[in-house]
């Protein structure tokens, strides 16, 4: 390219950048000036959908705009996550998702193309432990009885989860690795199928998110063995943590929900959404509804990026040991 042409090209590019800069700043300053969409990668009615709708109902008060929930189910939440990863990074398309699609799916499934770097983490909203339950067929009542039965009978017993690579599956594999016990994993296509087989005594053990398992426990249909976080869950003080038993002392895993946006969102837009999300998480009504659903609102000061990266490192170790892949 000749020098005069190169000079004109550089001048034109510079002018375009100068023109775009104020426009981008104006867009950020006026955000939001139209409805915001929160994508949930599951059909209506599940735990992630519940969190997404509770967030949407509260956050629109603080954003001053209508917030719409779009359910885009499929591939364990990955279709919805992919849509957000591909969206324009202007703050009008956000994701409320769970650790399954945000942090685990692309680690075990090569067909999933997005990476954590394709998102802007805005905030970790809530979490809940998982709970190991025993069917009536298993006949055990506590962690010690469970441990002794499984340790004495390698590969004889099975535990079910809602699918390969879900947080429930990873919790089961972490438990196996920590205690050096051998159980068969039976993946189901969702919680309803898992529930049917546990209640039907077709499988000895099941791993549920607490909000799904607690109604079964309260009804006396299954026996709660323990929850999966390092300490007892405040809402269920009568159910011990697995980590209270010496064989499972390092078990610490939960299911969490986060708000994410596409990568490269303008910092002022992220700051506005984060401020609105923090107010949402502090609202007493929001916190009460989350607790009623079995989830605990997280500390709004948690750095979402650091938290999620720490979780990814934890999951990678479990996946490598158990050789989980799709």
């Amino acid at each position: 390219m000749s020098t005069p042409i190169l000079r004109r090209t550089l001048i034109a590019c510079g002018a375009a950048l100068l023109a775009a800069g104020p426009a981008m700043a104006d867009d950020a300053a006026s955000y939001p000036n139209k409805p915001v969409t929160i994508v949930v990668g599951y059909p209506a009615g599940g735990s992630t959908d519940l969190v997404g709708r509770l967030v949407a109902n509260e956050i629109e008060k603080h954003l001053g705009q209508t917030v719409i929930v779009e359910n885009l189910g499929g591939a364990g939440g990955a279709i919805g996550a992919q849509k957000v990863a591909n969206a324009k990074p202007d703050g009008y398309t956000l994701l409320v998702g769970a650790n399954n699609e945000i942090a685990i799916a692309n680690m075990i499934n090569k067909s999933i193309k997005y990476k954590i770097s394709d998102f802007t983490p805005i905030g970790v909203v809530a979490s809940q432990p998982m709970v190991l339950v025993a069917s009536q067929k298993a006949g055990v009542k506590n962690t010690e009885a469970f441990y002794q039965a499984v340790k004495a009978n390698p590969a004889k017993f099975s535990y079910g989860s809602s699918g390969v690579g879900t947080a429930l599956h990873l919790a089961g594999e972490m438990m196996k690795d920590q205690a050096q016990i051998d159980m068969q994993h039976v993946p189901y296509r969702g919680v309803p199928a898992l529930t049917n087989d546990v209640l039907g005594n077709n499988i000895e053990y099941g791993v549920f998110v607490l909000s799904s398992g607690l109604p079964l426990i309260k009804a006396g249909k299954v026996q709660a063995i323990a929850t999966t976080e390092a300490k007892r869950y405040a809402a269920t003080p009568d159910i011990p943590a697995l980590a209270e038993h010496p064989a499972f002392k390092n078990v610490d895993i939960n299911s969490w929900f986060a708000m994410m946006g596409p990568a490269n969102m303008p910092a002022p837009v992220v700051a506005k959404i984060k401020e609105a999300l923090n107010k949402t998480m502090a609202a007493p009504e929001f916190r009460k509804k989350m607790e009623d659903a079995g989830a605990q609102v997280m500390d709004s000061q948690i750095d979402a990026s650091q938290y999620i990266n720490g979780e990814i490192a934890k999951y990678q170790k479990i996946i490598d040991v158990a050789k989980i892949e799709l």
Side-chain angles (χ1 to χ4, degrees):
M1 185 180 290
S2 67
T3 300
I5 294 174
L6 177 60
R7 185 181 297 115
R8 287 197 299 272
T9 301
L10 291 173
I11 291 171
C13 290
L17 288 171
L18 288 172
M24 292 172 65
D26 288 344
D27 288 345
S30 63
Y31 177 86
N33 56 23
K34 61 182 180 180
V36 175
T37 296
I38 288 178
V39 176
V40 172
Y42 301 89
S47 57
T48 308
D49 175 65
L50 173 65
V51 175
R53 289 182 184 279
L54 289 176
V55 169
N57 290 341
E58 186 68 30
I59 202 171
E60 67 180 10
K61 302 174 189 176
H62 307 296
L63 286 176
Q65 269 292 345
T66 299
V67 178
I68 301 163
V69 174
E70 179 185 359
N71 293 96
L72 192 59
I79 292 175
Q82 185 69 71
K83 176 174 180 174
V84 174
N86 292 342
K88 184 178 179 182
D90 55 6
Y92 290 99
T93 304
L94 305 171
L95 175 75
V96 168
N99 45 355
N100 288 340
E101 64 270 25
I102 293 172
I104 301 172
N106 69 329
M107 299 168 73
I108 64 168
N109 189 342
K110 292 183 173 60
S111 69
I112 293 175
K113 303 304 181 185
Y114 62 79
K115 305 179 293 296
I116 191 63
S117 58
D118 293 321
F119 297 99
T120 297
I122 297 169
V124 184
V125 179
S127 70
Q128 61 177 319
M130 287 158 275
V131 61
L132 173 68
V133 305
S135 67
Q136 293 177 357
K137 174 184 178 181
V140 301
K141 302 295 185 183
N142 53 51
T143 310
E144 175 65 13
F146 162 72
Y147 173 68
Q148 292 297 341
V150 177
K151 191 73 173 177
N153 297 278
K156 178 180 178 180
F157 301 116
S158 299
Y159 81 92
S161 79
S162 58
V164 174
T166 60
L168 305 180
H169 180 197
L170 267 60
E173 295 303 314
M174 172 181 268
M175 175 181 67
K176 285 169 55 179
D177 179 56
Q178 292 292 323
Q180 290 298 289
I181 53 177
D182 186 10
M183 286 194 298
Q184 300 298 315
H185 172 236
V186 181
Y188 289 85
R189 300 188 72 172
V191 172
L194 167 62
T195 302
N196 288 339
D197 264 13
V198 172
L199 296 183
N201 289 312
N202 296 317
I203 190 170
E204 292 86 8
Y205 302 100
V207 181
F208 292 81
V209 290
L210 185 61
S211 57
S212 297
L214 200 53
L216 306 177
I217 295 166
K218 288 181 175 179
K221 295 180 178 179
V222 298
Q223 174 65 46
I225 302 300
T227 53
T228 62
E229 290 182 329
K231 297 181 179 180
R232 292 193 186 204
Y233 195 54
T236 54
D238 294 336
I239 302 177
L242 274 169
E244 293 175 29
H245 190 284
F248 302 99
K249 64 181 180 179
N250 294 316
V251 171
D252 184 16
I253 187 169
N254 60 18
S255 181
W256 48 262
F257 308 92
M259 175 176 278
M260 314 289 282
N264 302 315
M265 288 174 61
V269 171
V270 175
K272 284 186 178 182
I273 300 171
K274 177 65 175 172
E275 180 182 9
L277 182 61
N278 287 352
K279 290 178 179 177
T280 293
M281 292 166 63
E285 184 179 0
F286 176 81
R287 299 180 75 89
K288 176 66 165 57
K289 288 180 178 178
M290 291 298 296
E291 289 168 6
D292 289 346
Q296 177 178 325
V297 177
M298 300 286 273
D299 183 347
S300 62
Q301 300 307 306
I302 289 174
D303 183 293
S305 182
Q306 288 183 9
Y307 180 89
I308 293 171
N309 284 331
E311 292 291 284
I312 288 172
K314 178 192 298 183
Y315 301 150
Q316 189 66 65
K317 290 179 182 178
I318 302 170
I319 290 166
D320 291 344
V321 168
K323 298 180 172 57
I324 301 171
E325 63 179 355
L326 286 172

